[in-house]
Amino acid sequence: MADVIAIDGPGGSGKGTVASRLASELGWHLLDSGALYRVVGLIALRSGIGFDDIASVAEAARKADIGFKYAGATPSASPIRVFVDGIDETDAIRSAGMEQPASRVAAIPAVRDALFATQQSFRRPPGLVADGRDMGTVVFPDARLKIFLTASVEARARRRFEQLKDRGASGSLRAPSGSGHDNAAGSRDAELAAIRASTEVRDERDRTRPVSPLMPAPDAVTIDSTEMSIDDVMAAVMVLVQERGLGC
Ligand code: DC
């Protein structure tokens, strides 16, 4: 069985960036498990399936035709594009409006069951770096290295804000026009506050759901990235990777 490095944590902790950099450093495969839940959220939204209609959402998850394409020759080469029924939906699933739908469908046990085998199929030689919420606890409990990457809610909301701004995609989290935030600073503050509120709602749902809640595995190493750059986090992770003799 190929080795797995599991990187779990809340949104905005930097785990996606760290996972993709680590995978390319090691030449390993990469699983962005959140993308799968985002796709199911997108399908439910587009098909008009209510998030309370558990049977229909689970059916959509079972039938979903999801494909990943990589920018380069290796399976870890980012940016990874995500296809649904052969159509590139990367931008759609990454938009701010998809965060709550993804979190809603991820709380449905039958959806998690439907995506379980797909996630495990990413485990191939020479190894897999998998990022998500339950990689170390449920999907790859035998991972050789488990990292729980976290950060304060303020830091995570700020990073999310910058990320969405870079992509020009903050969309639905923007303060409604006429809300009194007409100048740039006011509008920035309002947007940041909206992202923070949305982050807290999502964290709470991800942490308290009965099945596969967001939590560190007992044997995970926790890294708090609040005061760290991505380079700092990568350096700390590489020490752990080397200590465990991974990717040599
Ligand atoms: O990492 P992300 O923001 O793309 O994840 C989107 C949602 O999917 C998030 O709210 C929690 C859920 N998720 C999950 O429940 N389990 C995973 N392994 C990955 C993501």
Side-chain angles (χ1 to χ4, degrees):
M1 281 276 236
D3 284 334
V4 176
I5 297 176
I7 306 184
D8 290 305
S13 57
K15 67 188 158 40
T17 311
V18 169
S20 119
R21 277 179 59 174
L22 185 58
S24 51
E25 190 98 5
L26 299 173
W28 284 16
H29 295 270
L30 176 65
L31 167 62
D32 167 7
S33 60
L36 300 172
Y37 293 98
R38 285 171 181 261
V39 166
V40 176
L42 180 75
I43 294 173
L45 264 189
R46 287 207 182 139
S47 334
I49 302 172
F51 298 119
D52 297 333
D53 182 354
I54 289 172
S56 302
V57 180
E59 164 104 348
R62 277 192 295 273
K63 285 193 183 151
D65 172 9
I66 309 172
F68 290 85
K69 277 204 185 120
Y70 306 92
T74 64
S76 62
S78 3
I80 289 174
R81 307 296 301 178
V82 182
F83 290 72
V84 183
D85 293 327
I87 296 166
D88 188 339
E89 300 285 9
T90 315
D91 296 338
I93 65 160
R94 298 268 170 248
S95 71
M98 283 315 302
E99 293 186 350
Q100 299 302 334
S103 172
R104 295 283 301 271
V105 302
I108 301 173
V111 168
R112 305 197 73 84
D113 287 348
L115 298 177
F116 190 77
T118 305
Q119 294 174 83
Q120 290 205 319
S121 72
F122 279 74
R123 183 175 198 166
R124 273 173 263 139
L128 173 68
V129 180
D131 97 68
R133 305 292 188 288
D134 61 343
M135 298 295 96
T137 49
V138 175
V139 182
F140 303 109
D142 62 339
R144 288 278 311 281
L145 172 61
K146 300 178 187 177
I147 292 167
F148 192 80
L149 193 55
T150 185
S152 70
V153 68
E154 289 79 15
R156 293 187 292 110
R158 210 174 40 246
R159 287 173 193 165
R160 199 76 197 102
F161 173 78
E162 297 300 336
Q163 229 175 36
L164 292 168
K165 203 175 57 171
D166 285 351
R167 284 193 213 130
S170 51
S172 64
L173 286 176
R174 213 162 260 157
S177 58
S179 60
H181 298 288
D182 292 338
N183 60 57
S187 139
R188 183 186 189 281
D189 287 351
E191 201 160 330
L192 201 54
I195 291 176
R196 190 198 150 120
S198 166
T199 301
E200 281 177 326
V201 169
R202 191 157 78 113
D203 283 357
E204 179 66 9
R205 190 185 298 117
D206 292 347
R207 268 199 199 105
T208 56
R209 66 182 176 219
V211 175
S212 303
L214 167 66
M215 62 171 182
D219 51 347
V221 178
T222 295
I223 299 177
D224 184 334
S225 71
T226 306
E227 304 289 339
M228 294 168 88
S229 68
I230 286 292
D231 286 344
D232 294 339
V233 177
M234 271 307 289
V237 168
M238 286 314 289
V239 169
L240 295 166
V241 166
Q242 271 145 22
E243 273 173 11
R244 305 212 177 177
L246 291 164
C248 318

